[in-house]
Amino acid sequence: MIDLRLVREDTDLVRASQAARGEDPSTVDTLVTAADRRRESVGRADSLRAEQKVLGKRVSTAGPEERLALLVQARDLAVAVKAAQAEESAADVALQEAHLAVPNVVEHDVPAGGEDDYVVLKEVGDKPTFEGFTPRDHVEIGQLLGAIDTDRGSKVSGARFYFLTGQGALLQLALLNMAVAQAVETGFTPVITPSLVRPEVMGGTGYLGAHAAEIYRLEIDDLYLVGTSEVPLAGMHMAEIIDLSAGPRRYAGWSSCYRREAGSYGKDTQGIIRVHQFDKVEMFSYCDPAEARDEHKRLLAWEEQMLAKVELPYRVIDTAAGDLGSSAARKYDCEAWIPTQGRYRELTSTSNCTTFQARRLNIRFRDADGRPQFAATLNGTLATTRWLVAILENHQQPDGSVLVPVALRPFLGGREVLQPL
RNA sequence: GGAGGCUUCGCCUAGUCCGGUCUAUGGCGCCGCACUGCUAAUGCGGUUGGGGUUCGCGCCCCUCCCGGGUUCAAAUCCCGGAGCCUCCGCCA
């Protein structure tokens, strides 16, 4: 939910944001109209109610003869109040609807356009050359190592499911543990989150809008499976006034993540690039909105720190407005080089949601004057199952073995190489 | 699956039987002032949140889990719902 004051005072800015996203700017005008209508109906209902209260007081103190006449008057007024109230709540509903239809206002310097209009901010590291052999893809390496079993994954659960076995399971645990270790060193509170959340939490984070088809829903229990621990971590402080006087509150969530991958038929059907269930360590930060842009840069830096530890070549992109989620004002992705695909694939994603989620979830903090204000929320990836793809492919050797990045070795019991079975 | 209880202004709490000075009590916390040569103790005062209106002081409305209803008038009465807790049963 965006700030209505901003909509009223700088309508053009919000319209421009919609245009940058490639969405209809007229939703903004609808919102302005709805806000005006609500304001007017509130005013009318308020003054009628004030009148009613005064009259009600007179009824309670009046003598018997006077009382009867006053009651007649009061009855008429009650009808008028009821009508005004009905209009008020109708206007409220309309405003709410118009409000929810407008995604977050993008930062002013976000590149406009769609999926392909990102801006590359930097490229880091050297792509591997593979002298004298043709690199295997992660599916083949996973088989050689006995690390990934997609056949049995689909036997048991269907397409886009997999087993991580032996070295694969250990490698993932090592990676995620390294992510948690880094987060804790940095001052994050590690959290193992619920994977099922209530509708208001899923809705509050902005995931039930245009991309609701991505979400698994358990209808019998009216719960949703989370696609990222961002969701429970955002819900954690809903309807609270949190203390940010000591700076941002940072959590590192560990969870399995579930995604329906609706509409992605035919994309990445092999291996574990795009799957229905994976594991992730995610950073989440609550902070003063004034600090959100800086915090966003910090989250990006911590992501890059992780990528450096696993010694992967990657680039950082500034995602275009049209490719942002509805909650995000800006998003940076880190994409690792995948040798057998000859292209970069997203490994991390960090979004600044400013106060958009906090407004929906009613998460506030007290500012320097002690006034409650909406907090900003941000999130960013530290590690996911998909990272295994990049690690296996980039660090593979001619004999099918895989070199373990130095920083990761302590988390694998000191192991330096993953050997084919 | 069954039974019972609870939900009030950051937290705790009075009030609900019997509708109107509930314009919601008190404590904790927090803020300000006073006093004391310190951080303490004490006293006094302030402190729910949201919205409307106003240059501003202010004024008004809403807010006692949510939604309906009764009534001139609802924290209070009636109906429906949600959440939380406890116990029993069952299963791990």
Side-chain angles (χ1 to χ4, degrees):
Chain A
M1 229 181 281
I2 64 173
D3 188 356
L4 277 184
R5 201 171 324 156
L6 179 72
V7 176
R8 218 179 293 131
E9 288 169 5
D10 202 345
T11 312
D12 287 339
L13 177 80
V14 184
R15 268 200 216 100
S17 165
Q18 282 294 81
R21 281 177 178 269
E23 293 191 29
D24 186 357
S26 77
T27 54
V28 181
D29 300 296
T30 307
L31 179 56
V32 170
T33 308
D36 287 346
R37 176 184 162 201
R38 193 197 81 104
R39 193 157 31 148
E40 282 162 24
S41 58
V42 164
R44 265 193 299 275
D46 271 8
S47 56
L48 279 171
R49 264 192 297 261
E51 215 178 309
Q52 186 184 39
K53 286 179 87 165
V54 173
L55 195 57
K57 207 138 284 176
R58 281 173 63 197
V59 170
S60 68
T61 56
E65 337 67 53
E66 201 187 350
R67 197 185 171 83
L68 212 64
L70 284 175
L71 275 183
V72 173
Q73 212 180 326
R75 219 158 287 167
D76 289 343
L77 192 51
V79 171
V81 167
K82 199 153 253 178
Q85 241 155 13
E87 158 58 18
E88 183 184 354
S89 59
D92 243 340
V93 170
L95 173 61
Q96 187 75 3
E97 199 181 317
H99 207 167
L100 290 175
V102 180
N104 203 356
V105 177
V106 302
E107 287 186 15
H108 69 278
D109 48 353
V110 168
E115 200 178 344
D116 302 323
D117 296 313
Y118 57 82
V119 170
V120 176
L121 296 181
K122 61 165 149 174
E123 297 191 42
V124 179
D126 298 318
K127 297 169 187 165
T129 48
F130 305 111
E131 301 293 340
F133 75 107
T134 308
R136 302 170 168 91
D137 71 14
H138 78 277
V139 179
E140 195 181 346
I141 301 168
Q143 273 166 3
L144 289 172
L145 298 178
I148 303 170
D149 187 340
T150 51
D151 290 344
R152 293 199 175 89
S154 61
K155 176 173 77 176
V156 169
S157 302
R160 298 197 192 285
F161 285 95
Y162 56 95
F163 287 87
L164 291 182
T165 54
Q167 302 183 97
L170 293 175
L171 182 61
Q172 167 160 304
L173 283 172
L175 177 69
L176 297 185
N177 280 324
M178 185 169 78
V180 171
Q182 176 183 304
V184 169
E185 273 166 35
T186 316
F188 282 75
T189 303
V191 184
I192 293 172
T193 68
S195 295
L196 291 165
V197 298
R198 300 178 191 284
E200 63 263 36
V201 175
M202 189 57 84
T205 50
Y207 281 106
L208 290 184
H211 299 99
E214 266 302 295
I215 314 287
Y216 284 105
R217 176 169 177 225
L218 279 74
E219 199 170 357
I220 297 173
D221 299 292
D222 202 15
L223 290 169
Y224 291 92
L225 270 169
V226 301
T228 160
S229 63
E230 168 196 346
V231 175
L233 288 174
M236 200 159 121
H237 289 303
M238 95 178 147
E240 291 183 27
I241 296 177
I242 56 175
D243 185 5
L244 294 180
S245 57
R249 258 167 108 128
R250 302 190 179 111
Y251 297 101
W254 173 314
S255 77
S256 289
C257 305
Y258 302 89
R259 301 186 179 181
R260 295 190 63 236
E261 295 300 339
S264 63
Y265 305 111
K267 278 191 207 166
D268 302 311
T269 52
Q270 297 298 305
I272 57 168
I273 293 253
R274 187 183 297 271
V275 287
H276 288 310
Q277 177 184 337
F278 59 92
D279 290 274
K280 176 156 80 151
V281 173
E282 169 101 334
M283 299 178 282
F284 194 90
S285 177
Y286 294 91
C287 76
D288 186 327
E291 215 184 319
R293 251 179 102 105
D294 289 340
E295 182 73 353
H296 199 191
K297 295 275 164 51
R298 287 190 282 264
L299 295 185
L300 177 58
W302 286 320
E303 291 180 347
E304 292 194 58
Q305 197 180 322
M306 276 295 294
L307 286 160
K309 284 178 181 170
V310 291
E311 301 168 35
L312 292 175
Y314 67 94
R315 68 179 187 182
V316 180
I317 65 168
D318 192 356
T319 306
D323 203 25
L324 295 176
S326 63
S327 299
R330 185 166 223 161
K331 181 170 78 153
Y332 301 113
D333 288 353
C334 294
E335 301 179 321
W337 178 251
I338 304 296
T340 62
Q341 298 197 352
R343 61 176 177 138
Y344 287 98
R345 300 300 304 261
E346 174 187 328
L347 285 201
T348 74
S349 179
T350 176
S351 294
N352 177 4
C353 297
T354 64
T355 59
F356 187 86
Q357 292 177 329
R359 283 172 199 279
R360 293 178 167 213
L361 293 167
N362 193 23
I363 301 163
R364 295 170 295 172
F365 72 106
R366 290 194 188 277
D367 65 17
D369 301 324
R371 307 288 305 171
Q373 305 285 354
F374 289 112
T377 59
L378 303 95
N379 61 77
T381 319
L382 276 185
T384 70
T385 302
R386 187 186 275 183
W387 286 44
L388 303 189
V389 175
I391 292 170
L392 294 179
E393 291 205 10
N394 280 282
H395 297 311
Q396 66 178 299
Q397 304 299 305
D399 63 356
S401 67
V402 174
L403 281 182
V404 177
V406 174
L408 198 51
R409 291 176 188 172
F411 296 92
L412 263 177
R415 196 181 313 203
E416 298 177 6
V417 182
L418 304 179
Q419 294 289 355
L421 296 183

